[in-house]
Amino acid sequence: MARKQETKTTTKKKTPAKRTTKKAVAEVKAPEVTVEEPKAEAVEEVKEEPKAEAVKEEVVEEPKYEAPPTSRRSVAFIGSECYPFVKTGGLGDVMYALPKALVKQNCDVKVIIPRYKCIPWKYQEKMVYRGSFQMNLCEDGRSFYVGIMEYVWDGVVYDFIDNEEFFSDGNPYTNLIDDIPKYCYFAKAALAALNYMNWVPDIIHCHDWQAALVPVYLRTLFENTKLTSAKTILTIHNLRFQGIYNIPTIRYWSGLPDYVFNKDALKVSYNDANMLKGGLTYANVITTVSHTYAGEIQTGYYGETLDAHLRYHSGKLRGILNGIDYDIWNTATDTRLYENYDLTNVLEKKRENKRRLQEELGLVQDDHKFVIGLISRLTNQKGLDLINAILPQIIDGNTQVVVLGTGDDIYENSFRYYENAYKGNVCSNIMYDETRAHRIYAGADAFLVPSQFEPCGLTQLIAMHYGTIPIVRETGGLKDTVEPYNVFYNSGNGFTFDRYESGLLLDAINRAKTLYFTDRWRWDEMLQRDMNKDFSWDSSAKQYKDLYLELTW
Ligand code: ADP
């Protein structure tokens, strides 16, 4: 009920709320966050009373909404990667873009991530030492150094947990033997750092298994600290990764009490512990990154063995779609593109981008070829078996395929093989390259995402925003964001198929080609429709904000 009231007030008062947001953001300097409760009552009273008597006489009276709703909330984001410091996939994008969007929603946000050695020096040198202490970690009381390095950017405070013993690899993730101790340490150190800085957030928002022990620590070893007033949210970005290892190892490194290693919390199978499962049990709310994926993970096929556990906790599980950062992904200002464009000149400029892309990648330069892009981690999640099975049928003399990605040898090698077999029409870029990614999004005509499962998927959103038509499998966020093209109504945003079968993917690609080659104006209309769609973070950030309010009212 309380949440309803809050929602009502904010929707009615859209404009003034914006005005006050700015003011409030400028004032957040003190580390202590105080929730200004009395204002809520004031707003309610002002609303109720004058209406009855004075309304008729003084209709002219200006709305009395000058006081902001008491909707400022403080949030600590805890996760293992964050663009532009370190990113291996969509999690890094979200950890950067969502806090930024939440600042606009009147939130006070701190992002806590490890200070990996691989973070570029240009960021490391700007970090400011905020303090350090020793922290007990293991079962036998072994203690470790925790340093806090701070960096403030775009209204968001980034606190890096510093420890050379754990974070000195070139890559954030190496192998579970090293990663399990690393993220036990990180989860505990993140909470200890909040305590040390005396910053008690309203919400602690954790991401994926690497931060999943945070809610567990909070309700056990941190029970008697001031942090316990915080509510916890655990967001699943990809259920496949859970942090599973044998119980003795996780118990030793985490130093967590025995009772959390039971079937309802961390324990799975005979002698294993699952860090994500523990987090799901102890978090106040679980979210995942699309509505469809929230449903899918409660089934045996997509549930990655946690479906029953998720069904049990379904009352606190919900899906909130990701967005994309419009400052980074903006065709009109993107400095990585050969030619910038917007809705007014997209058709002409996209052709130019395609021409230059073909030139840079050594493809046959021909405006009339249908260029299909694929940017992805090369793992079996991404539906690459389907592509491999039909690639010879895709390359028909009128079509080119551009791949960008790294991952499993089997896929890297098969794409290398195809590049060799279809020289001039297939280009496999086995690398991680931001600039090339931007150019492919802009230069391709269509974009493939035939994933086996896809929690949300950012690449299809970016592609659409860049006027590139997605061809996707109807799963997870792909299903929620790509409306299938309807030839009768000339509506929709892309081409889709349902079952995980290569024949169906080929059919979807052929439907796309048919439209492209025989009905170009409809194709062009669709790409303009896609560019016009709103994939910004605004509405998702608003949903997260509502959730924070609901939890802390
Ligand atoms: P996932 O998180 O499962 O890897 P998403 O679609 O959520 O997939 O996010 C992938 C992000 O990583 C996108 O921003 C995409 O552009 C980027 N990306 C993936 N592979 C590469 C690559 N090889 N080079 C540059 N960017 C890449």
Side-chain angles (χ1 to χ4, degrees), residues 87-91 93 238 329 375-377 381-382 404-406 431-434 437 441 454 457-460 462:
K87 166 184 160 184
T88 69
L91 170 63
D93 287 322
N238 191 332
W329 301 106
I375 300 173
S376 176
R377 284 184 293 116
Q381 176 200 333
K382 299 292 181 178
L404 173 64
T406 55
M431 59 178 79
Y432 189 96
D433 187 333
E434 287 281 349
Y441 284 122
E454 194 60 72
L458 296 177
T459 57
Q460 84 281 9
I462 302 168

PDB file of all heavy atoms in Angstrom, residues 87-91 93 238 329 375-377 381-382 404-406 431-434 437 441 454 457-460 462, ligand 1:
ATOM      1  N   LYS A  87      35.642  -5.289 -18.510  1.00  0.00           N
ATOM      2  CA  LYS A  87      34.372  -5.810 -19.053  1.00  0.00           C
ATOM      3  C   LYS A  87      34.633  -7.063 -19.857  1.00  0.00           C
ATOM      4  O   LYS A  87      35.527  -7.094 -20.694  1.00  0.00           O
ATOM      5  CB  LYS A  87      33.721  -4.745 -19.935  1.00  0.00           C
ATOM      6  CG  LYS A  87      32.584  -5.265 -20.805  1.00  0.00           C
ATOM      7  CD  LYS A  87      32.017  -4.219 -21.737  1.00  0.00           C
ATOM      8  CE  LYS A  87      31.270  -4.867 -22.892  1.00  0.00           C
ATOM      9  NZ  LYS A  87      30.778  -3.923 -23.892  1.00  0.00           N
ATOM     10  N   THR A  88      33.857  -8.126 -19.570  1.00  0.00           N
ATOM     11  CA  THR A  88      33.960  -9.303 -20.432  1.00  0.00           C
ATOM     12  C   THR A  88      32.640  -9.566 -21.153  1.00  0.00           C
ATOM     13  O   THR A  88      32.576 -10.370 -22.055  1.00  0.00           O
ATOM     14  CB  THR A  88      34.342 -10.580 -19.643  1.00  0.00           C
ATOM     15  OG1 THR A  88      33.234 -10.926 -18.805  1.00  0.00           O
ATOM     16  CG2 THR A  88      35.579 -10.402 -18.810  1.00  0.00           C
ATOM     17  N   GLY A  89      31.570  -8.905 -20.729  1.00  0.00           N
ATOM     18  CA  GLY A  89      30.276  -9.118 -21.382  1.00  0.00           C
ATOM     19  C   GLY A  89      29.248  -8.132 -20.861  1.00  0.00           C
ATOM     20  O   GLY A  89      29.598  -7.063 -20.331  1.00  0.00           O
ATOM     21  N   GLY A  90      27.986  -8.514 -20.985  1.00  0.00           N
ATOM     22  CA  GLY A  90      26.876  -7.614 -20.664  1.00  0.00           C
ATOM     23  C   GLY A  90      26.878  -7.124 -19.219  1.00  0.00           C
ATOM     24  O   GLY A  90      26.461  -5.996 -18.933  1.00  0.00           O
ATOM     25  N   LEU A  91      27.349  -7.959 -18.271  1.00  0.00           N
ATOM     26  CA  LEU A  91      27.382  -7.544 -16.866  1.00  0.00           C
ATOM     27  C   LEU A  91      28.163  -6.239 -16.696  1.00  0.00           C
ATOM     28  O   LEU A  91      27.737  -5.328 -15.978  1.00  0.00           O
ATOM     29  CB  LEU A  91      27.998  -8.657 -16.012  1.00  0.00           C
ATOM     30  CG  LEU A  91      28.324  -8.308 -14.568  1.00  0.00           C
ATOM     31  CD1 LEU A  91      27.064  -7.952 -13.779  1.00  0.00           C
ATOM     32  CD2 LEU A  91      29.048  -9.470 -13.872  1.00  0.00           C
ATOM     33  N   ASP A  93      28.577  -3.879 -18.870  1.00  0.00           N
ATOM     34  CA  ASP A  93      27.778  -2.759 -19.397  1.00  0.00           C
ATOM     35  C   ASP A  93      26.743  -2.312 -18.365  1.00  0.00           C
ATOM     36  O   ASP A  93      26.547  -1.120 -18.132  1.00  0.00           O
ATOM     37  CB  ASP A  93      27.036  -3.193 -20.672  1.00  0.00           C
ATOM     38  CG  ASP A  93      27.972  -3.336 -21.867  1.00  0.00           C
ATOM     39  OD1 ASP A  93      28.896  -2.513 -21.986  1.00  0.00           O
ATOM     40  OD2 ASP A  93      27.784  -4.263 -22.674  1.00  0.00           O
ATOM     41  N   ASN A 238      23.282 -14.232 -15.629  1.00  0.00           N
ATOM     42  CA  ASN A 238      23.401 -15.470 -16.389  1.00  0.00           C
ATOM     43  C   ASN A 238      23.428 -16.622 -15.395  1.00  0.00           C
ATOM     44  O   ASN A 238      24.384 -16.795 -14.647  1.00  0.00           O
ATOM     45  CB  ASN A 238      24.690 -15.459 -17.223  1.00  0.00           C
ATOM     46  CG  ASN A 238      24.713 -16.592 -18.220  1.00  0.00           C
ATOM     47  OD1 ASN A 238      24.108 -17.637 -17.994  1.00  0.00           O
ATOM     48  ND2 ASN A 238      25.407 -16.399 -19.326  1.00  0.00           N
ATOM     49  N   TRP A 329      26.283   4.454 -26.996  1.00  0.00           N
ATOM     50  CA  TRP A 329      25.688   3.933 -28.235  1.00  0.00           C
ATOM     51  C   TRP A 329      24.809   4.994 -28.860  1.00  0.00           C
ATOM     52  O   TRP A 329      23.605   5.037 -28.625  1.00  0.00           O
ATOM     53  CB  TRP A 329      24.910   2.649 -27.939  1.00  0.00           C
ATOM     54  CG  TRP A 329      25.776   1.583 -27.338  1.00  0.00           C
ATOM     55  CD1 TRP A 329      25.789   1.172 -26.044  1.00  0.00           C
ATOM     56  CD2 TRP A 329      26.770   0.799 -28.011  1.00  0.00           C
ATOM     57  NE1 TRP A 329      26.722   0.181 -25.867  1.00  0.00           N
ATOM     58  CE2 TRP A 329      27.345  -0.067 -27.056  1.00  0.00           C
ATOM     59  CE3 TRP A 329      27.236   0.733 -29.319  1.00  0.00           C
ATOM     60  CZ2 TRP A 329      28.358  -0.970 -27.373  1.00  0.00           C
ATOM     61  CZ3 TRP A 329      28.242  -0.173 -29.637  1.00  0.00           C
ATOM     62  CH2 TRP A 329      28.787  -1.015 -28.674  1.00  0.00           C
ATOM     63  N   ILE A 375      28.330 -10.471 -33.239  1.00  0.00           N
ATOM     64  CA  ILE A 375      29.319 -10.064 -32.221  1.00  0.00           C
ATOM     65  C   ILE A 375      28.951 -10.802 -30.947  1.00  0.00           C
ATOM     66  O   ILE A 375      27.841 -10.635 -30.424  1.00  0.00           O
ATOM     67  CB  ILE A 375      29.264  -8.541 -31.973  1.00  0.00           C
ATOM     68  CG1 ILE A 375      29.564  -7.792 -33.269  1.00  0.00           C
ATOM     69  CG2 ILE A 375      30.253  -8.141 -30.871  1.00  0.00           C
ATOM     70  CD1 ILE A 375      29.377  -6.286 -33.177  1.00  0.00           C
ATOM     71  N   SER A 376      29.871 -11.629 -30.484  1.00  0.00           N
ATOM     72  CA  SER A 376      29.454 -12.514 -29.406  1.00  0.00           C
ATOM     73  C   SER A 376      30.641 -13.176 -28.718  1.00  0.00           C
ATOM     74  O   SER A 376      31.697 -13.331 -29.319  1.00  0.00           O
ATOM     75  CB  SER A 376      28.579 -13.599 -30.038  1.00  0.00           C
ATOM     76  OG  SER A 376      28.203 -14.552 -29.113  1.00  0.00           O
ATOM     77  N   ARG A 377      30.415 -13.579 -27.468  1.00  0.00           N
ATOM     78  CA  ARG A 377      31.328 -14.539 -26.878  1.00  0.00           C
ATOM     79  C   ARG A 377      31.115 -15.820 -27.664  1.00  0.00           C
ATOM     80  O   ARG A 377      29.960 -16.188 -27.956  1.00  0.00           O
ATOM     81  CB  ARG A 377      30.960 -14.789 -25.411  1.00  0.00           C
ATOM     82  CG  ARG A 377      31.364 -13.686 -24.469  1.00  0.00           C
ATOM     83  CD  ARG A 377      31.040 -14.052 -23.017  1.00  0.00           C
ATOM     84  NE  ARG A 377      29.623 -14.144 -22.754  1.00  0.00           N
ATOM     85  CZ  ARG A 377      28.982 -15.249 -22.395  1.00  0.00           C
ATOM     86  NH1 ARG A 377      29.651 -16.370 -22.231  1.00  0.00           N
ATOM     87  NH2 ARG A 377      27.687 -15.250 -22.176  1.00  0.00           N
ATOM     88  N   GLN A 381      26.373 -21.220 -25.590  1.00  0.00           N
ATOM     89  CA  GLN A 381      25.151 -20.484 -25.236  1.00  0.00           C
ATOM     90  C   GLN A 381      24.615 -19.694 -26.431  1.00  0.00           C
ATOM     91  O   GLN A 381      23.428 -19.466 -26.574  1.00  0.00           O
ATOM     92  CB  GLN A 381      25.450 -19.509 -24.075  1.00  0.00           C
ATOM     93  CG  GLN A 381      24.264 -18.636 -23.726  1.00  0.00           C
ATOM     94  CD  GLN A 381      24.629 -17.369 -22.968  1.00  0.00           C
ATOM     95  OE1 GLN A 381      25.632 -17.319 -22.260  1.00  0.00           O
ATOM     96  NE2 GLN A 381      23.808 -16.343 -23.094  1.00  0.00           N
ATOM     97  N   LYS A 382      25.530 -19.236 -27.274  1.00  0.00           N
ATOM     98  CA  LYS A 382      25.159 -18.234 -28.270  1.00  0.00           C
ATOM     99  C   LYS A 382      24.623 -18.799 -29.588  1.00  0.00           C
ATOM    100  O   LYS A 382      24.474 -18.066 -30.566  1.00  0.00           O
ATOM    101  CB  LYS A 382      26.368 -17.320 -28.539  1.00  0.00           C
ATOM    102  CG  LYS A 382      26.834 -16.564 -27.296  1.00  0.00           C
ATOM    103  CD  LYS A 382      25.794 -15.534 -26.852  1.00  0.00           C
ATOM    104  CE  LYS A 382      26.234 -14.747 -25.631  1.00  0.00           C
ATOM    105  NZ  LYS A 382      25.285 -13.731 -25.220  1.00  0.00           N
ATOM    106  N   LEU A 404      32.666 -11.247 -35.017  1.00  0.00           N
ATOM    107  CA  LEU A 404      33.637 -10.686 -34.070  1.00  0.00           C
ATOM    108  C   LEU A 404      33.432 -11.380 -32.732  1.00  0.00           C
ATOM    109  O   LEU A 404      32.332 -11.339 -32.175  1.00  0.00           O
ATOM    110  CB  LEU A 404      33.402  -9.172 -33.909  1.00  0.00           C
ATOM    111  CG  LEU A 404      34.225  -8.469 -32.823  1.00  0.00           C
ATOM    112  CD1 LEU A 404      35.718  -8.513 -33.138  1.00  0.00           C
ATOM    113  CD2 LEU A 404      33.776  -7.021 -32.659  1.00  0.00           C
ATOM    114  N   GLY A 405      34.474 -12.021 -32.233  1.00  0.00           N
ATOM    115  CA  GLY A 405      34.307 -12.686 -30.945  1.00  0.00           C
ATOM    116  C   GLY A 405      35.507 -13.523 -30.570  1.00  0.00           C
ATOM    117  O   GLY A 405      36.378 -13.804 -31.394  1.00  0.00           O
ATOM    118  N   THR A 406      35.521 -13.903 -29.299  1.00  0.00           N
ATOM    119  CA  THR A 406      36.524 -14.850 -28.827  1.00  0.00           C
ATOM    120  C   THR A 406      35.812 -15.844 -27.936  1.00  0.00           C
ATOM    121  O   THR A 406      34.724 -15.574 -27.444  1.00  0.00           O
ATOM    122  CB  THR A 406      37.611 -14.168 -27.966  1.00  0.00           C
ATOM    123  OG1 THR A 406      36.941 -13.477 -26.894  1.00  0.00           O
ATOM    124  CG2 THR A 406      38.447 -13.189 -28.748  1.00  0.00           C
ATOM    125  N   MET A 431      38.834 -11.814 -31.960  1.00  0.00           N
ATOM    126  CA  MET A 431      39.471 -10.826 -31.072  1.00  0.00           C
ATOM    127  C   MET A 431      38.391 -10.082 -30.296  1.00  0.00           C
ATOM    128  O   MET A 431      37.201 -10.205 -30.620  1.00  0.00           O
ATOM    129  CB  MET A 431      40.241  -9.805 -31.924  1.00  0.00           C
ATOM    130  CG  MET A 431      39.333  -9.080 -32.901  1.00  0.00           C
ATOM    131  SD  MET A 431      40.145  -7.824 -33.897  1.00  0.00           S
ATOM    132  CE  MET A 431      40.948  -8.765 -35.121  1.00  0.00           C
ATOM    133  N   TYR A 432      38.814  -9.339 -29.284  1.00  0.00           N
ATOM    134  CA  TYR A 432      37.893  -8.438 -28.595  1.00  0.00           C
ATOM    135  C   TYR A 432      38.273  -7.029 -29.011  1.00  0.00           C
ATOM    136  O   TYR A 432      39.393  -6.597 -28.770  1.00  0.00           O
ATOM    137  CB  TYR A 432      38.006  -8.613 -27.074  1.00  0.00           C
ATOM    138  CG  TYR A 432      36.924  -7.861 -26.363  1.00  0.00           C
ATOM    139  CD1 TYR A 432      35.751  -8.506 -25.978  1.00  0.00           C
ATOM    140  CD2 TYR A 432      37.042  -6.501 -26.113  1.00  0.00           C
ATOM    141  CE1 TYR A 432      34.722  -7.820 -25.369  1.00  0.00           C
ATOM    142  CE2 TYR A 432      36.023  -5.800 -25.506  1.00  0.00           C
ATOM    143  CZ  TYR A 432      34.868  -6.464 -25.126  1.00  0.00           C
ATOM    144  OH  TYR A 432      33.845  -5.773 -24.530  1.00  0.00           O
ATOM    145  N   ASP A 433      37.372  -6.328 -29.674  1.00  0.00           N
ATOM    146  CA  ASP A 433      37.734  -5.015 -30.203  1.00  0.00           C
ATOM    147  C   ASP A 433      36.498  -4.101 -30.220  1.00  0.00           C
ATOM    148  O   ASP A 433      35.586  -4.285 -31.038  1.00  0.00           O
ATOM    149  CB  ASP A 433      38.289  -5.205 -31.621  1.00  0.00           C
ATOM    150  CG  ASP A 433      38.844  -3.911 -32.202  1.00  0.00           C
ATOM    151  OD1 ASP A 433      38.375  -2.824 -31.806  1.00  0.00           O
ATOM    152  OD2 ASP A 433      39.741  -3.986 -33.055  1.00  0.00           O
ATOM    153  N   GLU A 434      36.493  -3.127 -29.300  1.00  0.00           N
ATOM    154  CA  GLU A 434      35.324  -2.235 -29.174  1.00  0.00           C
ATOM    155  C   GLU A 434      35.060  -1.468 -30.465  1.00  0.00           C
ATOM    156  O   GLU A 434      33.934  -1.363 -30.910  1.00  0.00           O
ATOM    157  CB  GLU A 434      35.535  -1.233 -28.028  1.00  0.00           C
ATOM    158  CG  GLU A 434      35.436  -1.824 -26.628  1.00  0.00           C
ATOM    159  CD  GLU A 434      33.998  -2.048 -26.150  1.00  0.00           C
ATOM    160  OE1 GLU A 434      33.055  -1.559 -26.801  1.00  0.00           O
ATOM    161  OE2 GLU A 434      33.831  -2.748 -25.129  1.00  0.00           O
ATOM    162  N   ALA A 437      33.584  -3.506 -33.078  1.00  0.00           N
ATOM    163  CA  ALA A 437      32.187  -3.835 -32.742  1.00  0.00           C
ATOM    164  C   ALA A 437      31.272  -2.697 -33.179  1.00  0.00           C
ATOM    165  O   ALA A 437      30.272  -2.923 -33.867  1.00  0.00           O
ATOM    166  CB  ALA A 437      32.060  -4.085 -31.237  1.00  0.00           C
ATOM    167  N   TYR A 441      28.183  -2.964 -35.956  1.00  0.00           N
ATOM    168  CA  TYR A 441      26.787  -2.624 -35.664  1.00  0.00           C
ATOM    169  C   TYR A 441      26.259  -1.627 -36.697  1.00  0.00           C
ATOM    170  O   TYR A 441      25.117  -1.689 -37.115  1.00  0.00           O
ATOM    171  CB  TYR A 441      26.651  -1.998 -34.268  1.00  0.00           C
ATOM    172  CG  TYR A 441      26.749  -2.981 -33.115  1.00  0.00           C
ATOM    173  CD1 TYR A 441      27.723  -2.834 -32.121  1.00  0.00           C
ATOM    174  CD2 TYR A 441      25.867  -4.043 -33.001  1.00  0.00           C
ATOM    175  CE1 TYR A 441      27.812  -3.721 -31.057  1.00  0.00           C
ATOM    176  CE2 TYR A 441      25.948  -4.948 -31.943  1.00  0.00           C
ATOM    177  CZ  TYR A 441      26.925  -4.772 -30.972  1.00  0.00           C
ATOM    178  OH  TYR A 441      27.010  -5.657 -29.922  1.00  0.00           O
ATOM    179  N   GLU A 454      19.181 -16.706 -23.603  1.00  0.00           N
ATOM    180  CA  GLU A 454      19.728 -15.342 -23.567  1.00  0.00           C
ATOM    181  C   GLU A 454      18.984 -14.549 -22.490  1.00  0.00           C
ATOM    182  O   GLU A 454      17.845 -14.131 -22.686  1.00  0.00           O
ATOM    183  CB  GLU A 454      19.535 -14.675 -24.936  1.00  0.00           C
ATOM    184  CG  GLU A 454      20.336 -13.403 -25.130  1.00  0.00           C
ATOM    185  CD  GLU A 454      21.843 -13.631 -24.996  1.00  0.00           C
ATOM    186  OE1 GLU A 454      22.441 -14.238 -25.898  1.00  0.00           O
ATOM    187  OE2 GLU A 454      22.398 -13.200 -23.962  1.00  0.00           O
ATOM    188  N   GLY A 457      20.426 -10.012 -23.331  1.00  0.00           N
ATOM    189  CA  GLY A 457      21.049  -9.757 -24.625  1.00  0.00           C
ATOM    190  C   GLY A 457      21.110  -8.268 -24.869  1.00  0.00           C
ATOM    191  O   GLY A 457      20.085  -7.578 -24.826  1.00  0.00           O
ATOM    192  N   LEU A 458      22.306  -7.773 -25.078  1.00  0.00           N
ATOM    193  CA  LEU A 458      22.454  -6.351 -25.386  1.00  0.00           C
ATOM    194  C   LEU A 458      22.703  -6.142 -26.872  1.00  0.00           C
ATOM    195  O   LEU A 458      22.368  -5.112 -27.434  1.00  0.00           O
ATOM    196  CB  LEU A 458      23.629  -5.762 -24.600  1.00  0.00           C
ATOM    197  CG  LEU A 458      23.485  -5.772 -23.081  1.00  0.00           C
ATOM    198  CD1 LEU A 458      24.735  -5.223 -22.424  1.00  0.00           C
ATOM    199  CD2 LEU A 458      22.273  -4.954 -22.655  1.00  0.00           C
ATOM    200  N   THR A 459      23.293  -7.162 -27.510  1.00  0.00           N
ATOM    201  CA  THR A 459      23.723  -6.935 -28.894  1.00  0.00           C
ATOM    202  C   THR A 459      22.532  -6.666 -29.822  1.00  0.00           C
ATOM    203  O   THR A 459      22.635  -5.832 -30.719  1.00  0.00           O
ATOM    204  CB  THR A 459      24.554  -8.119 -29.424  1.00  0.00           C
ATOM    205  OG1 THR A 459      23.783  -9.304 -29.304  1.00  0.00           O
ATOM    206  CG2 THR A 459      25.850  -8.275 -28.667  1.00  0.00           C
ATOM    207  N   GLN A 460      21.408  -7.348 -29.590  1.00  0.00           N
ATOM    208  CA  GLN A 460      20.257  -7.086 -30.471  1.00  0.00           C
ATOM    209  C   GLN A 460      19.704  -5.681 -30.223  1.00  0.00           C
ATOM    210  O   GLN A 460      19.201  -5.031 -31.151  1.00  0.00           O
ATOM    211  CB  GLN A 460      19.172  -8.162 -30.294  1.00  0.00           C
ATOM    212  CG  GLN A 460      18.190  -7.975 -29.155  1.00  0.00           C
ATOM    213  CD  GLN A 460      18.776  -8.392 -27.798  1.00  0.00           C
ATOM    214  OE1 GLN A 460      19.965  -8.662 -27.682  1.00  0.00           O
ATOM    215  NE2 GLN A 460      17.956  -8.426 -26.773  1.00  0.00           N
ATOM    216  N   ILE A 462      21.548  -3.018 -29.293  1.00  0.00           N
ATOM    217  CA  ILE A 462      22.481  -2.084 -29.932  1.00  0.00           C
ATOM    218  C   ILE A 462      22.258  -2.119 -31.451  1.00  0.00           C
ATOM    219  O   ILE A 462      22.190  -1.080 -32.112  1.00  0.00           O
ATOM    220  CB  ILE A 462      23.944  -2.443 -29.599  1.00  0.00           C
ATOM    221  CG1 ILE A 462      24.173  -2.437 -28.082  1.00  0.00           C
ATOM    222  CG2 ILE A 462      24.906  -1.475 -30.288  1.00  0.00           C
ATOM    223  CD1 ILE A 462      25.493  -3.043 -27.642  1.00  0.00           C
TER     224      ILE A 462
HETATM  225  P1  ADP B   1      26.905 -11.620 -22.803  1.00  0.00           P
HETATM  226  O1  ADP B   1      26.849 -10.776 -21.570  1.00  0.00           O
HETATM  227  O2  ADP B   1      26.199 -12.936 -22.667  1.00  0.00           O
HETATM  228  O3  ADP B   1      28.286 -11.788 -23.331  1.00  0.00           O
HETATM  229  P2  ADP B   1      25.388  -9.478 -24.044  1.00  0.00           P
HETATM  230  O4  ADP B   1      24.663  -9.420 -25.339  1.00  0.00           O
HETATM  231  O5  ADP B   1      24.578  -9.215 -22.826  1.00  0.00           O
HETATM  232  O6  ADP B   1      26.117 -10.874 -23.977  1.00  0.00           O
HETATM  233  O7  ADP B   1      26.585  -8.413 -24.032  1.00  0.00           O
HETATM  234  C1  ADP B   1      27.679  -8.514 -24.874  1.00  0.00           C
HETATM  235  C2  ADP B   1      28.435  -7.192 -24.860  1.00  0.00           C
HETATM  236  O8  ADP B   1      29.805  -7.455 -25.136  1.00  0.00           O
HETATM  237  C3  ADP B   1      27.961  -6.236 -25.946  1.00  0.00           C
HETATM  238  O9  ADP B   1      28.197  -4.906 -25.521  1.00  0.00           O
HETATM  239  C4  ADP B   1      28.874  -6.594 -27.122  1.00  0.00           C
HETATM  240  O10 ADP B   1      29.004  -5.523 -28.037  1.00  0.00           O
HETATM  241  C5  ADP B   1      30.170  -6.853 -26.391  1.00  0.00           C
HETATM  242  N1  ADP B   1      31.066  -7.792 -27.073  1.00  0.00           N
HETATM  243  C6  ADP B   1      30.970  -9.145 -27.122  1.00  0.00           C
HETATM  244  N2  ADP B   1      32.012  -9.666 -27.785  1.00  0.00           N
HETATM  245  C7  ADP B   1      32.767  -8.632 -28.197  1.00  0.00           C
HETATM  246  C8  ADP B   1      33.996  -8.527 -28.935  1.00  0.00           C
HETATM  247  N3  ADP B   1      34.633  -9.596 -29.376  1.00  0.00           N
HETATM  248  N4  ADP B   1      34.505  -7.304 -29.161  1.00  0.00           N
HETATM  249  C9  ADP B   1      33.863  -6.193 -28.700  1.00  0.00           C
HETATM  250  N5  ADP B   1      32.722  -6.230 -27.992  1.00  0.00           N
HETATM  251  C10 ADP B   1      32.174  -7.433 -27.735  1.00  0.00           C
END
